[in-house]
Amino acid sequence: MGKRKSKAPPPTKEIKKVPTTFDCPFCNHESSITCRLDRVADVGEVSCRICGEKFQTTIDNLSEPVDVYSEWIDECERVNKGDD
């Protein structure tokens, strides 16, 4: 008698990673923005290695680098729009 075929294990789900380097909206260089999170001081900082632009904002325990970058982009759009 033959052996029963064993059921193949389900494929593992690929976990999507959140990016930590971004494109600079001022100098348009790719992957030139780095993000630093200081959880002790509750400060997140993004800075461009090429043009030197910097932005700081307050963070909480759940903040990720993409959140700080998104806040920077939103602030740039708000300033460009002229709303105070």
Side-chain angles (χ1 to χ4, degrees):
M1 298 201 62
K3 229 169 106 173
R4 288 188 181 195
K5 285 190 175 183
S6 63
K7 188 174 183 181
T12 57
K13 291 185 180 179
E14 184 177 320
I15 298 173
K16 295 181 182 177
K17 294 184 179 180
V18 179
T20 56
T21 59
F22 308 97
D23 301 341
C24 181
F26 294 102
C27 66
N28 294 325
H29 278 87
E30 294 181 1
S31 300
S32 63
I33 298 289
T34 57
C35 186
R36 185 181 63 83
L37 301 178
D38 186 359
R39 301 232 185 247
V40 175
D42 291 335
V43 174
E45 178 182 2
V46 291
S47 59
C48 179
R49 290 179 282 138
I50 308 299
C51 66
E53 285 293 322
K54 292 184 179 180
F55 175 75
Q56 285 186 347
T57 187
T58 57
I59 61 171
D60 57 9
N61 292 339
L62 300 177
S63 294
E64 293 292 328
V66 70
D67 299 325
V68 178
Y69 179 74
S70 297
E71 285 185 32
W72 183 37
I73 296 299
D74 292 343
E75 185 68 20
C76 290
E77 289 177 357
R78 187 185 68 79
V79 169
N80 287 338
K81 208 175 199 183
D83 295 341
D84 288 328

